[in-house]
Amino acid sequence: MGDILYLAMAAAHQISQVTHERAWVELLALDCQQAAFFNGDIRECCIQAILKGLVKVNCSHKKHAIDWQALAPKRITHH
């Protein structure tokens, strides 16, 4: 749940940085008949679900302006 809350807060912050206004973002799982299976990092899975339309995004500003890929967790590479 924390990762999903982070995404909503980070998206609102991203909008606020661009518009210089307060912003809010709400993420809602869609009630659909088809099951969705994801495996991996919860934040990455949530972003995939948003991009596939399985999570509805409500927003105080233009929701299409949110760069979800920029909010994906950074990969750590070991040398």
Side-chain angles (χ1 to χ4, degrees):
M1 186 81 163
D3 284 314
I4 296 169
L5 291 172
Y6 164 81
L7 277 178
M9 294 295 291
H13 180 72
Q14 188 183 81
I15 291 170
S16 147
Q17 292 292 311
V18 173
T19 64
H20 304 290
E21 298 175 359
R22 291 182 181 186
W24 58 265
V25 172
E26 177 184 42
L27 302 175
L28 302 164
L30 294 178
D31 185 18
C32 60
Q33 298 293 328
Q34 184 177 358
F37 296 96
F38 295 96
N39 187 20
D41 179 83
I42 188 68
R43 234 186 297 163
E44 285 181 6
C45 291
C46 189
I47 290 171
Q48 283 180 0
I50 290 167
L51 297 176
K52 290 181 184 212
L54 298 173
V55 172
K56 182 177 180 180
V57 178
N58 291 324
C59 184
S60 59
H61 292 71
K62 294 180 182 177
K63 60 185 171 189
H64 301 293
I66 300 170
D67 181 4
W68 293 107
Q69 296 300 333
L71 301 179
K74 306 294 182 231
R75 299 231 183 250
I76 299 173
T77 56
H78 298 286
H79 298 279

